[in-house]
Amino acid sequence: MDIIFSGIQPTGNLHLGNYLGAIRNWVQLQKDKFCIFCVVDLHAITVWQAPDKLRQHTREVVAAMIASGIDSEKQIIFNQSRVSGHAELAWIFNCVSRIGWLNRMTQFKEKAGRNRENASVGLFAYPNLMAADILLYKGTQVPVGADQKQHLELTRDIAQKFNSDFGIDFFPIVEPLILGEATRVMSLRDGMSKMSKSDPSELSRVTMVDDSDLISKKIRKAKTDPNPLPHDVRSLEGRPEAQNLMAIFAALSDTKLEIVCERFGGLPFSKFKEELIDLAVAVLSPIQSEMVRLLNDPAELDRILSVGSERANALAYPTMQEIKKIVGLLSE
Ligand code: AQP
């Protein structure tokens, strides 16, 4: 049976990239697969988080998932730190994974930047924890944005090395599921950099809590180039802003990029942006208002996380016991 595992960090500013690259695809996948959705709070603290904000952002992620259509009764929604197996397996993987492998991770290089010596050890070892998250449930498929592809390749390397070190066929080899037309949503201010929670410019991202006025303002101000929109996908080459806005339109309307090019080719950005605003507001506004409603009841969100964590732990615990036995760690 396929087991879908995916996670999202409670680091605030959930944006259109998180929605189109991850959450929207999860809503589709849950229709015929068993899914485990994790709010990865241990990942979030690899960069310092204010404790009150971390609690608030954790609830915000749960609200975003539910408001987008994830069924918390059928699927598991929980926060990572509540299931101790994540941290335990991450330690074992710290001993399986190689420093040379982690040194190649581009996300660490981007996030640590020139301040590498001052980055937390957790940020460096982040991909080992991510491998633990997935493999603790013997996850087979992981729906993610394109930015996570390299981390999933590392997860495969860790699974293979563990299996070969212990001469056992224990962990499955996971597959990334990079779905939809907006697998890498770019900043609205710069078509060459990823839309991200930590971009200092608010105008760089549409967030999942933006109201229609803000959505409209941000899209109207989105960077463009001077030419009309192209008629075909090939002509998007070298036009990152046009590519980004058209891909967002395609993903939000569940259509292909080529259809968007056929429909809007030849139009100026100003006209296209009006259509994009209408579409983004139509899709995001109901989610935004449902999020606001859910966030007014934090006790209910906490209950969902508590139930989800118990269900996750019931799956994780026996696997962790098996892993300990394989490694030679005496336990119950
Ligand atoms: N721009 C994006 N386009 C498509 N998918 C994206 N994802 C993130 N950004 C984009 C996908 O969202 C899921 C959850 O991501 P995350 O919150 O765990 O981590 P992140 O990649 O660190 O998010 P940010 O926004 O990029 O945060 P910062 O600013 O801290 O670097 C993942 O599936 C991810 O692929």
Side-chain angles (χ1 to χ4, degrees):
M1 184 180 76
D2 284 333
I3 295 186
I4 307 278
F5 181 96
S6 203
I8 194 155
Q9 293 188 76
T11 37
N13 291 333
L14 277 181
H15 53 68
L16 198 54
N18 300 130
Y19 178 64
L20 294 176
I23 301 174
R24 191 173 167 92
N25 300 321
W26 300 354
V27 176
Q28 291 307 316
L29 286 165
Q30 68 170 351
K31 289 183 183 155
D32 53 4
K33 308 240 188 214
F34 172 61
C35 306
I36 305 172
F37 298 122
C38 186
V39 188
V40 288
D41 48 9
L42 295 176
H43 281 280
I45 61 167
T46 56
V47 174
W48 190 81
Q49 306 291 323
D52 277 349
K53 289 255 183 258
L54 182 59
R55 284 185 273 273
Q56 161 76 10
H57 292 153
T58 300
R59 294 183 183 119
E60 225 167 77
V61 174
V62 183
M65 288 187 205
I66 295 174
S68 303
I70 306 268
D71 183 340
S72 66
E73 305 269 306
K74 290 208 181 112
Q75 318 303 334
I76 295 181
I77 297 181
F78 76 109
N79 59 313
Q80 188 186 27
S81 59
R82 274 225 176 88
V83 177
S84 59
H86 289 259
E88 291 179 49
L89 186 54
W91 181 259
I92 292 174
F93 286 170
N94 281 345
C95 305
V96 172
S97 179
R98 305 288 95 179
I99 288 177
W101 298 355
L102 292 179
N103 273 337
R104 287 196 287 274
M105 296 297 111
T106 52
Q107 184 170 295
F108 176 74
K109 287 182 199 154
E110 280 161 21
K111 288 201 171 172
R114 283 202 215 101
N115 211 7
R116 186 189 153 98
E117 292 299 307
N118 207 27
S120 74
V121 175
L123 190 66
F124 183 66
Y126 181 114
N128 295 344
L129 176 58
M130 181 165 160
D133 299 336
I134 300 162
L135 294 172
L136 185 58
Y137 303 93
K138 297 198 176 173
T140 51
Q141 297 185 322
V142 185
V144 282
D147 59 320
Q148 292 299 325
K149 193 162 174 266
Q150 195 185 32
H151 287 164
L152 287 175
E153 279 157 12
L154 189 97
T155 300
R156 291 161 73 102
D157 290 343
I158 290 175
Q160 261 157 350
K161 185 164 187 304
F162 181 97
N163 288 348
S164 119
D165 283 356
F166 294 99
I168 193 166
D169 185 16
F170 188 74
F171 288 123
I173 303 305
V174 299
E175 293 273 349
L177 295 179
I178 299 176
L179 305 168
E181 289 287 324
T183 56
R184 190 173 168 82
V185 177
M186 307 308 276
S187 157
L188 297 180
R189 304 303 296 160
D190 170 10
M192 300 300 280
S193 48
K194 194 180 80 139
M195 186 177 283
S196 137
K197 296 176 187 137
S198 54
D199 191 317
S201 165
E202 293 287 337
L203 289 176
S204 69
R205 61 185 162 255
V206 167
T207 78
M208 293 184 71
V209 289
D210 285 348
D211 62 20
S212 45
D213 286 347
L214 261 180
I215 295 175
S216 152
K217 176 177 159 196
K218 288 176 177 179
I219 295 179
R220 252 186 217 116
K221 286 188 181 276
K223 190 176 167 201
T224 55
D225 62 45
N227 299 316
L229 293 166
H231 290 274
D232 57 66
V233 176
R234 234 177 334 122
S235 316
L236 281 169
E237 219 180 296
R239 300 187 62 187
E241 283 81 21
Q243 155 88 37
N244 190 35
L245 294 178
M246 293 180 105
I248 291 173
F249 191 100
L252 283 172
S253 55
D254 286 323
T255 185
K256 292 263 161 230
L257 185 54
E258 60 200 63
I259 309 238
V260 179
C261 291
E262 279 163 23
R263 178 164 161 205
F264 295 106
L267 282 189
F269 274 97
S270 54
K271 284 240 161 62
F272 172 69
K273 279 183 172 180
E274 291 309 313
E275 299 265 356
L276 181 57
I277 289 167
D278 288 347
L279 174 63
V281 168
V283 174
L284 296 175
S285 284
I287 298 177
Q288 185 257 356
S289 24
E290 182 59 3
M291 274 181 77
V292 171
R293 192 189 68 77
L294 291 163
L295 285 165
N296 274 328
D297 188 358
E300 173 58 9
L301 297 171
D302 291 356
R303 188 197 64 81
I304 290 169
L305 285 173
S306 165
V307 171
S309 301
E310 271 178 37
R311 291 172 63 203
N313 200 41
L315 296 174
Y317 185 80
T319 312
M320 201 55 227
Q321 290 302 107
E322 276 185 85
I323 295 166
K324 285 180 181 170
K325 209 182 268 170
I326 293 167
V327 174
L329 303 171
L330 288 178
S331 64
E332 294 155 34

